[in-house]
Amino acid sequence: MPASTAPTGQTSLQVPGDLFARHQTITGLRALADFLEANPAVPVKEYGGDYHVFTNEGDEAAGVALVDQAAALLGVPVYDNRSHGGHYGAHKSFGRITYRIVHIPDRQMDEHNAHMSYRDNIRLDPGQSA
């Protein structure tokens, strides 16, 4: 994402390592749209879908700032469910496709990882279904 000047005169950070991934993502989305348009027999999800972006910043403040920046560019409010053990994020729908950016606080990620640490210890007996 090229550096741009915000209305306050502050310059947003450019992340050179992300430029290639960004280009590939945009190219892939366009190719998918072209393919679906050219092949009406290929099914699509009736209610659309989500494009999720999870912040992976080094600290809480940076993750929140990234969500805030994206929300401002999208022209949408953020939602903040952190006080209830939830996430911090923003989303905007483009037709039936929704762009979501989410910051998962360290505390919630640690709880999730602790919970999932038991997943390999539980096995169904052969022939038993869930």
Side-chain angles (χ1 to χ4, degrees):
M1 150 173 50
S4 62
T5 303
T8 61
Q10 297 175 334
T11 302
S12 64
L13 297 176
Q14 180 177 354
V15 184
D18 288 346
L19 290 177
F20 184 66
R22 180 181 190 80
H23 172 74
Q24 285 188 317
T25 298
I26 292 167
T27 301
L29 288 169
R30 286 189 179 124
L32 175 60
D34 291 344
F35 172 80
L36 292 173
E37 187 174 50
N39 295 280
V42 173
V44 297
K45 291 181 178 180
E46 181 178 357
Y47 299 106
D50 288 351
Y51 181 83
H52 288 96
V53 175
F54 295 94
T55 64
N56 55 359
E57 299 303 315
D59 61 51
E60 296 287 321
V64 167
L66 193 55
V67 170
D68 289 341
Q69 179 184 17
L73 292 169
L74 291 166
V76 297
V78 298
Y79 61 85
D80 186 355
N81 296 324
R82 294 174 293 174
S83 64
H84 304 291
H87 304 153
Y88 186 85
H91 63 273
K92 181 173 183 171
S93 293
F94 297 86
R96 291 191 177 195
I97 306 300
T98 301
Y99 174 91
R100 289 185 193 282
I101 183 164
V102 179
H103 169 68
I104 302 172
D106 290 341
R107 171 86 179 165
Q108 280 69 39
M109 188 56 80
D110 290 346
E111 287 177 6
H112 171 76
N113 289 337
H115 174 75
M116 294 307 290
S117 70
Y118 290 93
R119 73 179 173 264
D120 293 332
N121 296 323
I122 299 172
R123 301 273 186 234
L124 296 177
D125 291 335
Q128 182 181 4
S129 62

